Amino acid sequence: MRIGIVVIMMLFLASCAIFGPPTELDDTKGLSAERIYEKASEKMTDRDYKKSIEYLKKLESRYPNSKYGAQAKLDMAYAYYKQQDAAQCVSTVERFIKIHPNHPNLDYAYYLKGVAYFKERGIVEKATFQDISDRDPKVLRQSFLAFKDLLTLYPNTRYGKDATERMIYLKNKLADHELHVARHYMKVKAYVAALNRAKYVIESYPDSNFVEEALVIIISAYDNLGMHDLKEDNLRILKQNYPNSSMFTKGKDTKKQDWWKFWDKT
């Protein structure tokens, strides 16, 4: 009996050597597009995103022109998003937008693209314990622009409120990043470079929370560059828009008056 088992195992190994390992059975063979989509949806509900993607790929490959073909791409993008694979999610969304420019759920595609980038930012920030203003803002801009495209193309979209709130957050973080760099330039006395960064904040993010600080950097940079007329012009703008700015607080001694030189703080 034991010899028989050994012989069977040897024959099995020999067949694997000749024909390769046995292939996994395709449980979608002969199924309709609808049934494959149902199986993919079941796996999505079970949070088995990897298996759901496998089904959706088969559906898209076999029935690209069916009514489920386009939806399969969107569902696949969502599954990649849930797997925290932002690159694959965005790539799938962009392919969907290109192939189906008139799809009724196109607003969702733009929204998902923005959220994928947004979540990628969150993962990196959490994993590295790094303040977002210290990092390359490329992903922030990509998320911001995706939401901007969404609201430009679909101003009445049901995703508008959430997209707007995310854009406000991103806008402030992008402005903070620019000023983070400007503060560094002020520390090393690269005043022209600091000036350009601060101006960029005012021009690009005029309703962010960092305009007052940008104006203070501009004023200080012009002062250090000896450009007193431009310094005074910006002082007037600061006073007009931020009359209660601490820069105008009276009754402080000279050392305390330098409170606004935040770039000198460690």
Side-chain angles (χ1 to χ4, degrees), residues 151-163:
L151 295 178
T152 300
L153 294 169
Y154 305 95
N156 299 317
T157 177
R158 56 179 167 169
Y159 308 107
K161 184 177 183 295
D162 184 73

Side-chain angles (χ1 to χ4, degrees), residues 204-234:
S204 302
Y205 313 111
D207 49 352
S208 73
N209 297 332
F210 294 89
V211 173
E212 179 184 359
E213 183 178 341
L215 282 167
V216 171
I217 290 176
I218 289 171
I219 292 163
S220 182
Y222 278 136
D223 185 42
N224 282 281
L225 290 168
M227 304 174 75
H228 300 299
D229 288 345
L230 290 172
K231 170 194 168 182
E232 292 300 323
D233 288 343
N234 283 277

